[in-house]
PDB file of all heavy atoms in Angstrom:
ATOM      1  N   LYS M   2      87.754  33.480  31.852  1.00 79.00           N
ATOM      2  CA  LYS M   2      87.414  32.147  32.318  1.00 79.00           C
ATOM      3  C   LYS M   2      86.584  31.442  31.269  1.00 79.00           C
ATOM      4  O   LYS M   2      85.823  32.059  30.528  1.00 79.00           O
ATOM      5  CB  LYS M   2      86.601  32.252  33.611  1.00 79.00           C
ATOM      6  CG  LYS M   2      87.394  32.733  34.811  1.00 79.00           C
ATOM      7  CD  LYS M   2      86.469  32.772  36.035  1.00 79.00           C
ATOM      8  CE  LYS M   2      87.199  33.308  37.238  1.00 79.00           C
ATOM      9  NZ  LYS M   2      86.300  33.413  38.409  1.00 79.00           N
ATOM     10  N   TYR M  32      77.597  18.711  27.445  1.00 88.00           N
ATOM     11  CA  TYR M  32      76.723  18.381  28.565  1.00 88.00           C
ATOM     12  C   TYR M  32      76.742  19.545  29.546  1.00 88.00           C
ATOM     13  O   TYR M  32      77.788  20.113  29.846  1.00 88.00           O
ATOM     14  CB  TYR M  32      77.212  17.105  29.265  1.00 88.00           C
ATOM     15  CG  TYR M  32      77.340  15.933  28.341  1.00 88.00           C
ATOM     16  CD1 TYR M  32      78.588  15.470  27.941  1.00 88.00           C
ATOM     17  CD2 TYR M  32      76.207  15.301  27.845  1.00 88.00           C
ATOM     18  CE1 TYR M  32      78.709  14.403  27.079  1.00 88.00           C
ATOM     19  CE2 TYR M  32      76.327  14.227  26.981  1.00 88.00           C
ATOM     20  CZ  TYR M  32      77.579  13.794  26.595  1.00 88.00           C
ATOM     21  OH  TYR M  32      77.687  12.734  25.730  1.00 88.00           O
ATOM     22  N   TYR M  36      74.367  22.076  39.834  1.00 95.00           N
ATOM     23  CA  TYR M  36      74.526  21.455  41.135  1.00 95.00           C
ATOM     24  C   TYR M  36      74.057  22.424  42.213  1.00 95.00           C
ATOM     25  O   TYR M  36      74.181  23.640  42.082  1.00 95.00           O
ATOM     26  CB  TYR M  36      75.990  21.108  41.411  1.00 95.00           C
ATOM     27  CG  TYR M  36      76.534  19.984  40.590  1.00 95.00           C
ATOM     28  CD1 TYR M  36      76.988  20.194  39.290  1.00 95.00           C
ATOM     29  CD2 TYR M  36      76.607  18.695  41.108  1.00 95.00           C
ATOM     30  CE1 TYR M  36      77.486  19.154  38.534  1.00 95.00           C
ATOM     31  CE2 TYR M  36      77.106  17.646  40.360  1.00 95.00           C
ATOM     32  CZ  TYR M  36      77.546  17.892  39.076  1.00 95.00           C
ATOM     33  OH  TYR M  36      78.044  16.850  38.339  1.00 95.00           O
ATOM     34  N   GLN M  38      74.662  23.201  46.305  1.00 95.00           N
ATOM     35  CA  GLN M  38      75.591  22.914  47.399  1.00 95.00           C
ATOM     36  C   GLN M  38      75.150  23.657  48.651  1.00 95.00           C
ATOM     37  O   GLN M  38      75.187  24.892  48.697  1.00 95.00           O
ATOM     38  CB  GLN M  38      77.021  23.306  47.027  1.00 95.00           C
ATOM     39  CG  GLN M  38      78.051  22.924  48.070  1.00 95.00           C
ATOM     40  CD  GLN M  38      79.470  23.262  47.651  1.00 95.00           C
ATOM     41  OE1 GLN M  38      79.698  24.068  46.762  1.00 95.00           O
ATOM     42  NE2 GLN M  38      80.440  22.627  48.296  1.00 95.00           N
ATOM     43  N   ARG M  41      78.721  23.538  54.016  1.00 87.00           N
ATOM     44  CA  ARG M  41      79.446  22.414  54.640  1.00 87.00           C
ATOM     45  C   ARG M  41      79.053  21.057  54.060  1.00 87.00           C
ATOM     46  O   ARG M  41      79.200  20.024  54.731  1.00 87.00           O
ATOM     47  CB  ARG M  41      79.271  22.420  56.156  1.00 87.00           C
ATOM     48  CG  ARG M  41      79.959  23.577  56.831  1.00 87.00           C
ATOM     49  CD  ARG M  41      79.890  23.452  58.342  1.00 87.00           C
ATOM     50  NE  ARG M  41      80.783  24.375  59.007  1.00 87.00           N
ATOM     51  CZ  ARG M  41      80.519  25.656  59.191  1.00 87.00           C
ATOM     52  NH1 ARG M  41      79.401  26.161  58.760  1.00 87.00           N
ATOM     53  NH2 ARG M  41      81.390  26.443  59.796  1.00 87.00           N
ATOM     54  N   LYS M  42      78.541  21.060  52.844  1.00 90.00           N
ATOM     55  CA  LYS M  42      78.190  19.799  52.185  1.00 90.00           C
ATOM     56  C   LYS M  42      78.826  19.746  50.801  1.00 90.00           C
ATOM     57  O   LYS M  42      79.253  20.769  50.250  1.00 90.00           O
ATOM     58  CB  LYS M  42      76.664  19.688  52.024  1.00 90.00           C
ATOM     59  CG  LYS M  42      75.894  19.704  53.306  1.00 90.00           C
ATOM     60  CD  LYS M  42      75.959  18.374  54.012  1.00 90.00           C
ATOM     61  CE  LYS M  42      75.017  18.357  55.192  1.00 90.00           C
ATOM     62  NZ  LYS M  42      75.100  17.100  55.943  1.00 90.00           N
ATOM     63  N   GLY M  43      78.874  18.537  50.231  1.00 92.00           N
ATOM     64  CA  GLY M  43      79.317  18.403  48.861  1.00 92.00           C
ATOM     65  C   GLY M  43      78.219  18.785  47.890  1.00 92.00           C
ATOM     66  O   GLY M  43      77.029  18.749  48.235  1.00 92.00           O
ATOM     67  N   PRO M  44      78.557  19.174  46.670  1.00 93.00           N
ATOM     68  CA  PRO M  44      77.535  19.496  45.661  1.00 93.00           C
ATOM     69  C   PRO M  44      76.686  18.263  45.337  1.00 93.00           C
ATOM     70  O   PRO M  44      77.171  17.135  45.386  1.00 93.00           O
ATOM     71  CB  PRO M  44      78.367  19.901  44.441  1.00 93.00           C
ATOM     72  CG  PRO M  44      79.724  20.234  44.971  1.00 93.00           C
ATOM     73  CD  PRO M  44      79.925  19.352  46.158  1.00 93.00           C
ATOM     74  N   LEU M  46      73.937  16.861  42.299  1.00 89.00           N
ATOM     75  CA  LEU M  46      73.470  17.131  40.949  1.00 89.00           C
ATOM     76  C   LEU M  46      71.958  17.392  40.948  1.00 89.00           C
ATOM     77  O   LEU M  46      71.180  16.597  41.437  1.00 89.00           O
ATOM     78  CB  LEU M  46      73.787  15.943  40.047  1.00 89.00           C
ATOM     79  CG  LEU M  46      73.448  16.098  38.571  1.00 89.00           C
ATOM     80  CD1 LEU M  46      74.282  17.203  37.944  1.00 89.00           C
ATOM     81  CD2 LEU M  46      73.681  14.787  37.843  1.00 89.00           C
ATOM     82  N   TYR M  49      70.693  17.923  34.520  1.00 86.00           N
ATOM     83  CA  TYR M  49      71.672  17.852  33.445  1.00 86.00           C
ATOM     84  C   TYR M  49      70.946  17.815  32.111  1.00 86.00           C
ATOM     85  O   TYR M  49      69.870  17.254  31.995  1.00 86.00           O
ATOM     86  CB  TYR M  49      72.629  16.667  33.595  1.00 86.00           C
ATOM     87  CG  TYR M  49      71.970  15.319  33.587  1.00 86.00           C
ATOM     88  CD1 TYR M  49      71.582  14.677  32.413  1.00 86.00           C
ATOM     89  CD2 TYR M  49      71.759  14.659  34.794  1.00 86.00           C
ATOM     90  CE1 TYR M  49      71.001  13.431  32.443  1.00 86.00           C
ATOM     91  CE2 TYR M  49      71.174  13.413  34.827  1.00 86.00           C
ATOM     92  CZ  TYR M  49      70.803  12.795  33.643  1.00 86.00           C
ATOM     93  OH  TYR M  49      70.219  11.569  33.681  1.00 86.00           O
ATOM     94  N   THR M  50      71.525  18.456  31.139  1.00 88.00           N
ATOM     95  CA  THR M  50      70.942  18.486  29.800  1.00 88.00           C
ATOM     96  C   THR M  50      72.039  18.247  28.778  1.00 88.00           C
ATOM     97  O   THR M  50      73.217  18.520  29.026  1.00 88.00           O
ATOM     98  CB  THR M  50      70.269  19.836  29.497  1.00 88.00           C
ATOM     99  OG1 THR M  50      71.209  20.893  29.743  1.00 88.00           O
ATOM    100  CG2 THR M  50      69.052  20.059  30.373  1.00 88.00           C
ATOM    101  N   LEU M  88      75.861  25.807  41.417  1.00 96.00           N
ATOM    102  CA  LEU M  88      77.024  25.737  40.534  1.00 96.00           C
ATOM    103  C   LEU M  88      76.583  25.238  39.166  1.00 96.00           C
ATOM    104  O   LEU M  88      75.912  24.212  39.076  1.00 96.00           O
ATOM    105  CB  LEU M  88      78.059  24.765  41.096  1.00 96.00           C
ATOM    106  CG  LEU M  88      78.573  25.016  42.507  1.00 96.00           C
ATOM    107  CD1 LEU M  88      79.200  23.751  43.076  1.00 96.00           C
ATOM    108  CD2 LEU M  88      79.604  26.108  42.494  1.00 96.00           C
ATOM    109  N   ARG M  92      80.598  20.082  30.333  1.00 84.00           N
ATOM    110  CA  ARG M  92      81.543  19.034  30.028  1.00 84.00           C
ATOM    111  C   ARG M  92      81.702  18.855  28.537  1.00 84.00           C
ATOM    112  O   ARG M  92      80.738  18.718  27.798  1.00 84.00           O
ATOM    113  CB  ARG M  92      81.092  17.713  30.635  1.00 84.00           C
ATOM    114  CG  ARG M  92      82.124  16.618  30.482  1.00 84.00           C
ATOM    115  CD  ARG M  92      81.661  15.340  31.102  1.00 84.00           C
ATOM    116  NE  ARG M  92      82.621  14.275  30.833  1.00 84.00           N
ATOM    117  CZ  ARG M  92      82.326  12.984  30.872  1.00 84.00           C
ATOM    118  NH1 ARG M  92      81.116  12.585  31.173  1.00 84.00           N
ATOM    119  NH2 ARG M  92      83.244  12.080  30.633  1.00 84.00           N
ATOM    120  N   PHE M  94      85.568  17.705  26.810  1.00 71.00           N
ATOM    121  CA  PHE M  94      86.625  16.756  27.116  1.00 71.00           C
ATOM    122  C   PHE M  94      86.806  16.646  28.624  1.00 71.00           C
ATOM    123  O   PHE M  94      87.111  15.587  29.160  1.00 71.00           O
ATOM    124  CB  PHE M  94      87.914  17.211  26.443  1.00 71.00           C
ATOM    125  CG  PHE M  94      88.976  16.158  26.398  1.00 71.00           C
ATOM    126  CD1 PHE M  94      88.777  14.965  25.735  1.00 71.00           C
ATOM    127  CD2 PHE M  94      90.185  16.358  27.037  1.00 71.00           C
ATOM    128  CE1 PHE M  94      89.750  13.989  25.699  1.00 71.00           C
ATOM    129  CE2 PHE M  94      91.162  15.390  27.012  1.00 71.00           C
ATOM    130  CZ  PHE M  94      90.953  14.213  26.340  1.00 71.00           C
ATOM    131  N   LYS M  95      86.616  17.778  29.320  1.00 74.00           N
ATOM    132  CA  LYS M  95      86.714  17.820  30.776  1.00 74.00           C
ATOM    133  C   LYS M  95      85.503  18.560  31.327  1.00 74.00           C
ATOM    134  O   LYS M  95      84.810  19.259  30.592  1.00 74.00           O
ATOM    135  CB  LYS M  95      88.003  18.538  31.204  1.00 74.00           C
ATOM    136  CG  LYS M  95      89.264  17.808  30.823  1.00 74.00           C
ATOM    137  CD  LYS M  95      90.485  18.593  31.243  1.00 74.00           C
ATOM    138  CE  LYS M  95      91.764  17.841  30.850  1.00 74.00           C
ATOM    139  NZ  LYS M  95      92.978  18.604  31.158  1.00 74.00           N
ATOM    140  N   THR M  96      85.296  18.411  32.619  1.00 81.00           N
ATOM    141  CA  THR M  96      84.201  19.132  33.282  1.00 81.00           C
ATOM    142  C   THR M  96      84.734  20.415  33.888  1.00 81.00           C
ATOM    143  O   THR M  96      85.719  20.392  34.637  1.00 81.00           O
ATOM    144  CB  THR M  96      83.567  18.270  34.373  1.00 81.00           C
ATOM    145  OG1 THR M  96      83.058  17.074  33.771  1.00 81.00           O
ATOM    146  CG2 THR M  96      82.428  19.016  35.047  1.00 81.00           C
ATOM    147  N   ILE M  97      84.092  21.519  33.556  1.00 87.00           N
ATOM    148  CA  ILE M  97      84.472  22.826  34.090  1.00 87.00           C
ATOM    149  C   ILE M  97      83.285  23.379  34.880  1.00 87.00           C
ATOM    150  O   ILE M  97      82.151  23.361  34.388  1.00 87.00           O
ATOM    151  CB  ILE M  97      84.831  23.819  32.974  1.00 87.00           C
ATOM    152  CG1 ILE M  97      85.885  23.239  32.043  1.00 87.00           C
ATOM    153  CG2 ILE M  97      85.300  25.150  33.567  1.00 87.00           C
ATOM    154  CD1 ILE M  97      87.240  23.036  32.672  1.00 87.00           C
ATOM    155  N   PHE M  98      83.567  23.853  36.086  1.00 91.00           N
ATOM    156  CA  PHE M  98      82.520  24.401  36.947  1.00 91.00           C
ATOM    157  C   PHE M  98      82.579  25.919  36.959  1.00 91.00           C
ATOM    158  O   PHE M  98      83.663  26.520  36.887  1.00 91.00           O
ATOM    159  CB  PHE M  98      82.699  23.909  38.384  1.00 91.00           C
ATOM    160  CG  PHE M  98      82.245  22.498  38.618  1.00 91.00           C
ATOM    161  CD1 PHE M  98      83.043  21.431  38.252  1.00 91.00           C
ATOM    162  CD2 PHE M  98      81.018  22.244  39.205  1.00 91.00           C
ATOM    163  CE1 PHE M  98      82.626  20.121  38.465  1.00 91.00           C
ATOM    164  CE2 PHE M  98      80.592  20.947  39.426  1.00 91.00           C
ATOM    165  CZ  PHE M  98      81.402  19.888  39.060  1.00 91.00           C
ATOM    166  N   GLY M  99      81.413  26.530  37.101  1.00 92.00           N
ATOM    167  CA  GLY M  99      81.349  27.943  37.413  1.00 92.00           C
ATOM    168  C   GLY M  99      81.689  28.150  38.879  1.00 92.00           C
ATOM    169  O   GLY M  99      81.779  27.201  39.660  1.00 92.00           O
ATOM    170  N   ALA M 100      81.871  29.427  39.267  1.00 91.00           N
ATOM    171  CA  ALA M 100      82.280  29.738  40.639  1.00 91.00           C
ATOM    172  C   ALA M 100      81.138  29.581  41.633  1.00 91.00           C
ATOM    173  O   ALA M 100      81.370  29.514  42.835  1.00 91.00           O
ATOM    174  CB  ALA M 100      82.857  31.142  40.703  1.00 91.00           C
TER     175      ALA M 100
ATOM    176  N   ARG H   9      88.054  14.467  57.475  1.00 96.00           N
ATOM    177  CA  ARG H   9      87.193  15.578  57.097  1.00 96.00           C
ATOM    178  C   ARG H   9      87.899  16.916  57.300  1.00 96.00           C
ATOM    179  O   ARG H   9      87.646  17.873  56.571  1.00 96.00           O
ATOM    180  CB  ARG H   9      85.914  15.567  57.934  1.00 96.00           C
ATOM    181  CG  ARG H   9      85.011  14.363  57.688  1.00 96.00           C
ATOM    182  CD  ARG H   9      84.333  14.454  56.322  1.00 96.00           C
ATOM    183  NE  ARG H   9      83.767  15.759  56.058  1.00 96.00           N
ATOM    184  CZ  ARG H   9      82.595  16.177  56.519  1.00 96.00           C
ATOM    185  NH1 ARG H   9      81.856  15.396  57.258  1.00 96.00           N
ATOM    186  NH2 ARG H   9      82.160  17.386  56.201  1.00 96.00           N
ATOM    187  N   TYR H  35      88.390  17.110  43.202  1.00 96.00           N
ATOM    188  CA  TYR H  35      88.280  18.532  42.937  1.00 96.00           C
ATOM    189  C   TYR H  35      88.781  19.298  44.157  1.00 96.00           C
ATOM    190  O   TYR H  35      88.730  18.821  45.278  1.00 96.00           O
ATOM    191  CB  TYR H  35      86.815  18.939  42.731  1.00 96.00           C
ATOM    192  CG  TYR H  35      86.151  18.343  41.520  1.00 96.00           C
ATOM    193  CD1 TYR H  35      85.505  17.110  41.583  1.00 96.00           C
ATOM    194  CD2 TYR H  35      86.137  19.033  40.309  1.00 96.00           C
ATOM    195  CE1 TYR H  35      84.877  16.576  40.472  1.00 96.00           C
ATOM    196  CE2 TYR H  35      85.508  18.506  39.190  1.00 96.00           C
ATOM    197  CZ  TYR H  35      84.884  17.272  39.292  1.00 96.00           C
ATOM    198  OH  TYR H  35      84.255  16.748  38.185  1.00 96.00           O
ATOM    199  N   GLN H  37      88.014  23.207  45.875  1.00 95.00           N
ATOM    200  CA  GLN H  37      87.098  24.333  45.796  1.00 95.00           C
ATOM    201  C   GLN H  37      87.662  25.505  46.572  1.00 95.00           C
ATOM    202  O   GLN H  37      87.934  25.401  47.766  1.00 95.00           O
ATOM    203  CB  GLN H  37      85.712  23.956  46.357  1.00 95.00           C
ATOM    204  CG  GLN H  37      84.663  25.024  46.148  1.00 95.00           C
ATOM    205  CD  GLN H  37      83.274  24.574  46.593  1.00 95.00           C
ATOM    206  OE1 GLN H  37      83.114  23.840  47.548  1.00 95.00           O
ATOM    207  NE2 GLN H  37      82.248  25.006  45.864  1.00 95.00           N
ATOM    208  N   GLY H  40      85.595  32.032  44.926  1.00 82.00           N
ATOM    209  CA  GLY H  40      85.692  32.775  43.678  1.00 82.00           C
ATOM    210  C   GLY H  40      86.171  31.963  42.492  1.00 82.00           C
ATOM    211  O   GLY H  40      86.119  32.433  41.354  1.00 82.00           O
ATOM    212  N   LEU H  41      86.627  30.758  42.740  1.00 84.00           N
ATOM    213  CA  LEU H  41      87.162  29.927  41.646  1.00 84.00           C
ATOM    214  C   LEU H  41      86.303  28.706  41.385  1.00 84.00           C
ATOM    215  O   LEU H  41      86.505  28.002  40.397  1.00 84.00           O
ATOM    216  CB  LEU H  41      88.593  29.487  41.970  1.00 84.00           C
ATOM    217  CG  LEU H  41      89.616  30.608  42.084  1.00 84.00           C
ATOM    218  CD1 LEU H  41      90.972  30.053  42.496  1.00 84.00           C
ATOM    219  CD2 LEU H  41      89.731  31.378  40.763  1.00 84.00           C
ATOM    220  N   GLY H  42      85.381  28.400  42.259  1.00 85.00           N
ATOM    221  CA  GLY H  42      84.535  27.231  42.057  1.00 85.00           C
ATOM    222  C   GLY H  42      85.302  25.936  42.223  1.00 85.00           C
ATOM    223  O   GLY H  42      86.354  25.872  42.851  1.00 85.00           O
ATOM    224  N   LEU H  43      84.773  24.891  41.641  1.00 91.00           N
ATOM    225  CA  LEU H  43      85.386  23.574  41.702  1.00 91.00           C
ATOM    226  C   LEU H  43      86.349  23.402  40.529  1.00 91.00           C
ATOM    227  O   LEU H  43      85.982  23.618  39.381  1.00 91.00           O
ATOM    228  CB  LEU H  43      84.315  22.483  41.621  1.00 91.00           C
ATOM    229  CG  LEU H  43      83.505  22.232  42.881  1.00 91.00           C
ATOM    230  CD1 LEU H  43      82.221  21.493  42.538  1.00 91.00           C
ATOM    231  CD2 LEU H  43      84.317  21.432  43.878  1.00 91.00           C
ATOM    232  N   LYS H  57      95.229  13.622  34.285  1.00 93.00           N
ATOM    233  CA  LYS H  57      95.259  14.934  34.930  1.00 93.00           C
ATOM    234  C   LYS H  57      94.009  15.737  34.606  1.00 93.00           C
ATOM    235  O   LYS H  57      93.484  15.680  33.492  1.00 93.00           O
ATOM    236  CB  LYS H  57      96.495  15.710  34.442  1.00 93.00           C
ATOM    237  CG  LYS H  57      97.818  15.070  34.831  1.00 93.00           C
ATOM    238  CD  LYS H  57      98.977  15.853  34.245  1.00 93.00           C
ATOM    239  CE  LYS H  57     100.306  15.207  34.609  1.00 93.00           C
ATOM    240  NZ  LYS H  57     101.461  15.933  34.022  1.00 93.00           N
ATOM    241  N   GLY H  58      93.576  16.506  35.602  1.00 90.00           N
ATOM    242  CA  GLY H  58      92.520  17.473  35.390  1.00 90.00           C
ATOM    243  C   GLY H  58      93.132  18.827  35.093  1.00 90.00           C
ATOM    244  O   GLY H  58      94.171  18.923  34.430  1.00 90.00           O
ATOM    245  N   ASP H  59      92.530  19.878  35.610  1.00 88.00           N
ATOM    246  CA  ASP H  59      93.004  21.226  35.319  1.00 88.00           C
ATOM    247  C   ASP H  59      94.117  21.716  36.234  1.00 88.00           C
ATOM    248  O   ASP H  59      94.909  22.559  35.844  1.00 88.00           O
ATOM    249  CB  ASP H  59      91.830  22.207  35.422  1.00 88.00           C
ATOM    250  CG  ASP H  59      90.849  22.007  34.297  1.00 88.00           C
ATOM    251  OD1 ASP H  59      91.295  21.875  33.146  1.00 88.00           O
ATOM    252  OD2 ASP H  59      89.640  21.964  34.562  1.00 88.00           O
ATOM    253  N   PHE H  90      87.040  17.795  47.353  1.00 97.00           N
ATOM    254  CA  PHE H  90      85.909  16.887  47.166  1.00 97.00           C
ATOM    255  C   PHE H  90      86.296  15.743  46.249  1.00 97.00           C
ATOM    256  O   PHE H  90      86.914  15.941  45.211  1.00 97.00           O
ATOM    257  CB  PHE H  90      84.720  17.618  46.540  1.00 97.00           C
ATOM    258  CG  PHE H  90      84.039  18.573  47.464  1.00 97.00           C
ATOM    259  CD1 PHE H  90      84.262  19.936  47.369  1.00 97.00           C
ATOM    260  CD2 PHE H  90      83.155  18.113  48.429  1.00 97.00           C
ATOM    261  CE1 PHE H  90      83.634  20.827  48.220  1.00 97.00           C
ATOM    262  CE2 PHE H  90      82.520  19.004  49.288  1.00 97.00           C
ATOM    263  CZ  PHE H  90      82.763  20.356  49.179  1.00 97.00           C
ATOM    264  N   GLU H  96      79.170   5.866  33.919  1.00 69.00           N
ATOM    265  CA  GLU H  96      79.222   6.471  32.583  1.00 69.00           C
ATOM    266  C   GLU H  96      78.530   5.550  31.589  1.00 69.00           C
ATOM    267  O   GLU H  96      78.671   4.329  31.653  1.00 69.00           O
ATOM    268  CB  GLU H  96      80.669   6.669  32.139  1.00 69.00           C
ATOM    269  CG  GLU H  96      81.429   7.674  32.942  1.00 69.00           C
ATOM    270  CD  GLU H  96      82.041   8.759  32.081  1.00 69.00           C
ATOM    271  OE1 GLU H  96      82.137   8.575  30.863  1.00 69.00           O
ATOM    272  OE2 GLU H  96      82.435   9.783  32.641  1.00 69.00           O
ATOM    273  N   GLY H  99      80.084   7.493  27.422  1.00 54.00           N
ATOM    274  CA  GLY H  99      80.713   8.796  27.613  1.00 54.00           C
ATOM    275  C   GLY H  99      79.836   9.811  28.298  1.00 54.00           C
ATOM    276  O   GLY H  99      80.278  10.896  28.634  1.00 54.00           O
ATOM    277  N   TYR H 100      78.583   9.494  28.505  1.00 55.00           N
ATOM    278  CA  TYR H 100      77.682  10.432  29.156  1.00 55.00           C
ATOM    279  C   TYR H 100      77.676  10.141  30.641  1.00 55.00           C
ATOM    280  O   TYR H 100      77.360   9.039  31.077  1.00 55.00           O
ATOM    281  CB  TYR H 100      76.271  10.282  28.582  1.00 55.00           C
ATOM    282  CG  TYR H 100      75.276  11.229  29.187  1.00 55.00           C
ATOM    283  CD1 TYR H 100      75.419  12.599  29.022  1.00 55.00           C
ATOM    284  CD2 TYR H 100      74.211  10.762  29.930  1.00 55.00           C
ATOM    285  CE1 TYR H 100      74.500  13.476  29.563  1.00 55.00           C
ATOM    286  CE2 TYR H 100      73.290  11.641  30.476  1.00 55.00           C
ATOM    287  CZ  TYR H 100      73.441  12.995  30.288  1.00 55.00           C
ATOM    288  OH  TYR H 100      72.535  13.867  30.840  1.00 55.00           O
ATOM    289  N   GLN H 101      78.025  11.137  31.408  1.00 57.00           N
ATOM    290  CA  GLN H 101      78.171  10.946  32.840  1.00 57.00           C
ATOM    291  C   GLN H 101      76.809  10.972  33.514  1.00 57.00           C
ATOM    292  O   GLN H 101      76.086  11.947  33.415  1.00 57.00           O
ATOM    293  CB  GLN H 101      79.048  12.058  33.388  1.00 57.00           C
ATOM    294  CG  GLN H 101      79.703  11.747  34.708  1.00 57.00           C
ATOM    295  CD  GLN H 101      80.692  12.856  35.050  1.00 57.00           C
ATOM    296  OE1 GLN H 101      80.308  13.952  35.402  1.00 57.00           O
ATOM    297  NE2 GLN H 101      81.970  12.554  34.934  1.00 57.00           N
ATOM    298  N   GLU H 102      76.498   9.903  34.175  1.00 61.00           N
ATOM    299  CA  GLU H 102      75.243   9.836  34.917  1.00 61.00           C
ATOM    300  C   GLU H 102      75.386  10.621  36.221  1.00 61.00           C
ATOM    301  O   GLU H 102      76.323  11.365  36.403  1.00 61.00           O
ATOM    302  CB  GLU H 102      74.900   8.367  35.193  1.00 61.00           C
ATOM    303  CG  GLU H 102      74.737   7.506  33.942  1.00 61.00           C
ATOM    304  CD  GLU H 102      73.509   7.902  33.133  1.00 61.00           C
ATOM    305  OE1 GLU H 102      72.576   8.472  33.706  1.00 61.00           O
ATOM    306  OE2 GLU H 102      73.499   7.655  31.912  1.00 61.00           O
ATOM    307  N   THR H 103      74.455  10.440  37.104  1.00 68.00           N
ATOM    308  CA  THR H 103      74.462  11.178  38.364  1.00 68.00           C
ATOM    309  C   THR H 103      75.822  11.092  39.047  1.00 68.00           C
ATOM    310  O   THR H 103      76.348  10.010  39.256  1.00 68.00           O
ATOM    311  CB  THR H 103      73.393  10.601  39.315  1.00 68.00           C
ATOM    312  OG1 THR H 103      72.134  10.703  38.687  1.00 68.00           O
ATOM    313  CG2 THR H 103      73.367  11.388  40.617  1.00 68.00           C
ATOM    314  N   GLN H 104      76.375  12.254  39.363  1.00 78.00           N
ATOM    315  CA  GLN H 104      77.663  12.308  40.024  1.00 78.00           C
ATOM    316  C   GLN H 104      77.433  12.551  41.512  1.00 78.00           C
ATOM    317  O   GLN H 104      76.740  13.475  41.896  1.00 78.00           O
ATOM    318  CB  GLN H 104      78.523  13.412  39.422  1.00 78.00           C
ATOM    319  CG  GLN H 104      79.935  13.435  39.950  1.00 78.00           C
ATOM    320  CD  GLN H 104      80.897  14.243  39.090  1.00 78.00           C
ATOM    321  OE1 GLN H 104      82.082  14.021  39.115  1.00 78.00           O
ATOM    322  NE2 GLN H 104      80.395  15.183  38.331  1.00 78.00           N
ATOM    323  N   PHE H 106      79.035  13.389  45.186  1.00 93.00           N
ATOM    324  CA  PHE H 106      80.188  14.010  45.828  1.00 93.00           C
ATOM    325  C   PHE H 106      80.299  13.543  47.272  1.00 93.00           C
ATOM    326  O   PHE H 106      79.304  13.292  47.950  1.00 93.00           O
ATOM    327  CB  PHE H 106      80.054  15.532  45.819  1.00 93.00           C
ATOM    328  CG  PHE H 106      80.444  16.161  44.510  1.00 93.00           C
ATOM    329  CD1 PHE H 106      79.561  16.184  43.448  1.00 93.00           C
ATOM    330  CD2 PHE H 106      81.695  16.724  44.347  1.00 93.00           C
ATOM    331  CE1 PHE H 106      79.925  16.763  42.231  1.00 93.00           C
ATOM    332  CE2 PHE H 106      82.071  17.309  43.145  1.00 93.00           C
ATOM    333  CZ  PHE H 106      81.180  17.324  42.087  1.00 93.00           C
ATOM    334  N   GLY H 107      81.528  13.448  47.742  1.00 95.00           N
ATOM    335  CA  GLY H 107      81.773  13.197  49.146  1.00 95.00           C
ATOM    336  C   GLY H 107      81.501  14.439  49.977  1.00 95.00           C
ATOM    337  O   GLY H 107      81.211  15.508  49.431  1.00 95.00           O
TER     338      GLY H 107
END
Side-chain angles (χ1 to χ4, degrees):
Chain M
K2 290 181 183 177
Y32 304 107
Y36 290 82
Q38 185 177 19
R41 292 186 167 79
K42 299 283 188 183
L46 184 64
Y49 61 80
T50 53
L88 304 161
R92 187 179 175 202
F94 194 61
K95 294 178 180 176
T96 300
I97 307 293
F98 283 79
Chain H
R9 294 288 314 279
Y35 295 89
Q37 187 175 35
L41 296 176
L43 283 161
K57 296 177 181 179
D59 290 315
F90 288 102
E96 293 235 344
Y100 181 64
Q101 201 172 73
E102 300 292 336
T103 301
Q104 186 163 204
F106 279 81

